[in-house]
């Protein structure tokens, strides 16, 4: 698979690898439907979490080992990489629920930013106006440099 941007190669590789380890925000947002959710945030004081308003997600130390506390980041979370969890650190304010059969999409906001979560269609679905706490699957967070928009994943080098 080759992903082009304005006539230049943005990333190339096996399709699943490009999808799972996007080289840039552009590639991450281009592949996948619904598209990846993005937040402007930073690394917390422990270096183990990336945070933005309404969102605190674990940083995989194997992928993002050298990010200093306070470093600005773009945080990317795919809709299918979250699950409902009463103790979850993503606070989705549901606006619309789109049942699709075996799955459903909850559309809303997290910290004022648009967010889509993929849910199991046979689970109890939230209603518009409700709050839905979510957590991210381990290792599923993507981090990008806010200036260059390139991946900060150490495995990308």
């Amino acid at each position: 698979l080759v992903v082009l941007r304005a006539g230049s190669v943005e990333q190339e590789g096996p399709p699943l690898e490009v999808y799972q380890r996007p080289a840039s925000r552009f590639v991450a947002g281009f592949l996948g439907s619904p598209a990846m959710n993005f937040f402007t945030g930073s690394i917390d004081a422990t270096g183990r979490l990336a945070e933005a308003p309404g969102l605190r997600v674990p940083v995989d130390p194997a992928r993002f080992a050298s990010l200093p506390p306070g470093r600005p980041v773009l945080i990317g979370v795919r809709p299918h990489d979250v699950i409902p969890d009463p103790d979850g650190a993503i606070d989705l304010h549901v606006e619309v629920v789109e049942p699709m059969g075996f799955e459903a999409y909850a559309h809303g906001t997290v910290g004022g930013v648009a967010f889509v979560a993929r849910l199991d269609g046979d689970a109890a679905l939230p209603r518009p106006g409700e709050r839905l706490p979510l957590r991210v699957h381990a290792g599923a967070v993507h981090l990008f440099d806010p200036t260059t928009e390139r991946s900060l994943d150490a495995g990308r080098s």
Side-chain angles (χ1 to χ4, degrees):
L1 175 69
V2 177
V3 179
L4 297 174
R5 181 179 188 184
S8 297
V9 174
E10 187 78 10
Q11 184 175 355
E12 61 183 291
L16 193 56
E17 178 184 312
V18 173
Y19 178 77
Q20 292 176 338
R21 291 305 228 338
S24 67
R25 178 184 178 160
F26 176 81
V27 173
F30 182 75
L31 296 177
S33 180
M36 186 180 283
N37 301 291
F38 292 102
F39 297 85
T40 300
S42 62
I43 302 300
D44 81 336
T46 69
R48 291 186 228 149
L49 296 170
E51 48 189 9
L55 175 118
R56 288 176 54 89
V57 292
V59 173
D60 182 349
R63 289 176 56 200
F64 307 105
S66 61
L67 299 180
R71 188 204 198 286
V73 293
L74 290 175
I75 304 164
V77 178
R78 291 205 185 275
H80 67 268
D81 284 332
V82 296
I83 57 173
D85 182 339
D87 298 320
I90 299 175
D91 188 27
L92 175 63
H93 295 273
V94 178
E95 295 171 359
V96 174
V97 177
E98 183 181 10
M100 305 290 288
F102 75 95
E103 64 186 3
Y105 295 105
H107 300 261
T109 58
V110 171
V113 175
F115 192 94
V116 179
R118 183 210 158 282
L119 307 172
D120 288 334
D122 60 354
L125 297 176
R127 293 191 174 123
E130 290 183 345
R131 176 186 164 271
L132 179 62
L134 303 165
R135 74 173 163 85
V136 178
H137 291 294
V141 172
H142 299 270
L143 299 176
F144 304 91
D145 181 276
T147 303
T148 66
E149 297 192 345
R150 302 300 296 172
S151 176
L152 296 171
D153 188 334
R156 295 250 11 108
S157 12

